[in-house]
């Protein structure tokens, strides 16, 4: 380290200053990527900037260049203002209609010529070049999880989400080994799920359970003005529900965000089993999943086999063709909002109904980008489609956590942490093949093995999650007039992203209680509000 070196750390770096200073003295940049926690940093040197962002993407860094100058920021809007960048319609369209196609949006931001740096990589930014380097190896998962929780418990008092599910509940019990924990479970008395019953049955053992009750004001879509974030996130539509939990939280609050991405696997994991030596296991998994999904075991195995024989390049070309004719759809699709579990046994599962929202010009633009051979080169075919799906879901989890963290910081002063998103935990999980992270009869076996004897066994008995879709339907109906006004004066339509007619037709189906693509609709409405700047009365 020279006298002019300067290090800026952003996020939840749980190391002490001595560890950081020692790594700088040794000029050991690799050590700076292996510190406990989830964080980003920028090291300013005489002739270059060196940057690192967390593997999940919870603390992103953005880059923009203008007139031979390079600028980095943790908020894309800062660079947009600095370099007068306009909104990027392509990024907004991809987030709504193609969230599974990670290579299409991983390094993009909502602004033109403002890129988002890749997570988990060392980025050397010189005067005219950018070089990438690798970060640290995968640690032991059990050690990574216990350290992630124990370090945070030193800042007692602590609270934790306690839904009775596997993710948040296991972290809460892990924290209770070190300190008293206030467990918080949300429920809506008029639209109940099974979460409250499961949480109540598990409470105790160092856990004080607090139930917070939602009402009409906490339903999704009920309040469309919220603190503006760097990027539109679908979770913004239920920010009042999130705030209700945070209002009861301790100064340090722990969530289970990221657990589904890291300890589950996309249905496309079956393609990893469609190879010699794994065919018996493939048959076992297909039989179990087919029974649950009311599908044909042979049809499921055949689909997995075809995906295993399809390269990312071939799959991207097929998706490009489908964009030009979204009505063609998948043979397993049967109407609006019907992207099924079987459809997701694919490289790039997309909903034909949502593709139909896009303008013809936008679909042609995306098809051209998908057909570019350079796009496929960003995907390692050896890792398989389930790995790509995990990375996509992980990024979405990190963005959701970022929204919740900023909400807590701005409105309640709560420090909101997600131990599952720590770099060490993410590296440990991603090192395990997707088909080894799931079991046909066990719920999240990788997590259960890592926490054996540390968390009560009965936590892992539950095989279901609380279904809050009823709140989305009720919230949309309660806000129907505002939602129709939003689409009638659509900013996305003005940008050439969507056609209001197909969106309106899908909204009407949602309001009637028919199956609808809830995630895509939430992303679209969140984007409309984001484009309006979230000013009071603007949505």
């Amino acid at each position: 380290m020279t006298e002019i070196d300067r290090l800026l750390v952003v996020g939840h770096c749980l190391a002490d200053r001595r560890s950081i200073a020692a790594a700088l003295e040794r000029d050991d940049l690799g050590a700076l990527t292996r510190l406990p926690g989830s964080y980003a940093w920028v090291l300013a040197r005489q002739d270059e900037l060196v940057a690192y962002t967390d593997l999940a993407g919870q603390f992103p860094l953005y880059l923009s260049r203008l007139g031979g100058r390079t600028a980095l920021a943790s908020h894309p809007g800062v660079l947009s203002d600095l370099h007068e960048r306009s909104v990027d319609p392509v990024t907004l369209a991809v987030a709504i209609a193609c969230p599974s196609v990670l290579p299409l949006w991983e390094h993009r931001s909502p602004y033109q010529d403002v890129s988002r740096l890749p997570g988990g990589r060392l980025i050397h930014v010189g005067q005219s070049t950018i070089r990438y380097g690798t970060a640290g190896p995968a640690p032991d998962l059990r050690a990574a999880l216990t350290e992630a929780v124990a370090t945070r418990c030193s800042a007692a008092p602590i609270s934790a989400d306690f839904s009775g599910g596997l993710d948040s509940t296991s972290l809460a019990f892990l924290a209770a080994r070190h300190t008293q924990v206030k467990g918080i479970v949300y429920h809506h008395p008029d639209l109940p799920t099974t979460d409250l019953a499961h949480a109540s049955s598990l409470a105790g053992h160092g856990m004080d359970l607090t139930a917070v009750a939602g009402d009409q004001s906490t339903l999704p879509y009920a309040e469309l003005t919220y603190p503006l974030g760097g990027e539109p996130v679908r979770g913004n539509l239920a920010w009042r529900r999130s705030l209700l939990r945070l209002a009861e939280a301790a100064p340090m609050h722990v969530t289970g965000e990221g657990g589904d991405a890291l300890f589950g696997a996309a249905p496309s994991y079956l393609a990893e089993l469609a190879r010699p030596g794994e065919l018996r296991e493939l048959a076992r998994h297909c039989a179990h999943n087919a029974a649950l999904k009311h599908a044909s075991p042979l049809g499921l195995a055949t689909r997995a086999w075809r995906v295993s024989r399809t390269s990312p390049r071939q799959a991207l070309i097929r998706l490009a063709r489908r964009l030009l004719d979204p009505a063609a759809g998948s043979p397993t699709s049967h109407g609006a909002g019907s992207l099924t579990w079987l459809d997701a046994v694919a490289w790039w599962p997309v909903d034909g109904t949502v593709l139909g929202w896009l303008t013809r010009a936008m679909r042609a633009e995306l098809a051209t980008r998908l057909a570019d051979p350079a796009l496929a080169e960003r995907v390692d075919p050896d890792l398989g489609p389930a790995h790509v799906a995990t990375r996509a879901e992980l990024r979405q989890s990190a963005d959701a956590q970022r929204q919740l963290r900023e909400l807590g910081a701005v409105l309640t002063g709560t420090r909101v942490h997600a131990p599952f998103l720590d770099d060490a935990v993410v590296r440990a999980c991603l090192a395990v093949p997707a088909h080894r992270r799931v079991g046909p009869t066990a719920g999240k076996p990788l997590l259960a093995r890592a926490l054996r004897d540390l968390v009560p066994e009965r936590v892992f008995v539950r095989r279901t999650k609380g279904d809050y879709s009823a709140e989305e339907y009720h919230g949309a109906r309660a806000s129907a007039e505002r939602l129709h006004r939003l689409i009638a004066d659509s900013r996305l339509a003005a940008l050439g992203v969507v056609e209001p007619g197909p969106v309106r037709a899908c909204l009407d189906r949602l309001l009637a209680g028919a199956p609808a693509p809830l995630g895509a609709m939430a992303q679209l409405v969140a984007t409309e509000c984001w484009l309006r700047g979230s000013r009071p009365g603007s949505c």
Side-chain angles (χ1 to χ4, degrees), residues 436-458:
R436 302 297 183 200
R437 297 203 301 269
V438 295
T441 59
K444 301 186 177 176
L446 181 63
L447 179 61
R449 289 195 299 269
L451 298 183
R452 183 176 290 122
D453 303 326
L454 299 177
V455 169
E457 288 289 335
R458 56 201 179 100

Side-chain angles (χ1 to χ4, degrees), residues 270-429:
L270 293 172
E272 296 181 3
L273 297 173
R275 58 190 179 191
E278 299 281 4
L279 296 183
R280 181 174 296 180
E281 193 70 4
L282 172 65
R284 190 167 74 95
H285 280 249
C286 285
H288 177 78
N289 285 305
L292 291 177
K293 309 301 178 183
H294 307 290
S296 162
L298 179 59
L300 188 54
T302 301
R303 189 176 181 92
W305 182 269
R306 288 174 179 166
V307 172
S308 73
R309 297 300 183 269
T310 303
S311 70
R313 169 73 173 145
Q314 291 170 326
L316 288 169
I317 290 174
R318 291 175 187 174
L319 179 56
R321 292 171 182 159
R322 188 178 176 195
L323 271 161
L324 299 178
D325 186 15
S330 163
T332 62
S333 294
H334 304 289
S338 62
L339 185 64
T340 67
W341 192 92
L342 187 58
D343 290 322
V345 184
W347 271 100
W348 320 114
V350 295
D351 192 319
T353 299
V354 181
L355 293 183
W357 297 352
L358 303 181
T359 62
R360 184 183 297 272
M362 180 54 69
R363 286 189 279 109
E365 172 71 20
L366 295 183
T368 300
R369 293 173 183 267
L370 289 167
D372 184 351
L375 191 66
E377 293 175 2
R378 299 178 184 175
V379 183
D380 185 345
D382 294 333
L383 293 177
H387 179 86
V388 178
T390 296
R391 291 298 303 270
E393 187 177 358
L394 184 63
R395 250 289 288 276
Q396 291 163 355
S397 293
D399 287 343
Q401 176 65 19
R402 185 185 189 192
Q403 179 261 347
L404 186 63
R405 188 185 69 248
E406 292 176 348
L407 191 68
V410 172
L411 297 183
T412 66
T414 306
R415 302 191 304 277
V416 185
H417 285 231
F420 286 144
L421 296 180
D422 280 7
D423 273 11
V425 178
V426 174
R427 285 196 184 103
C429 290

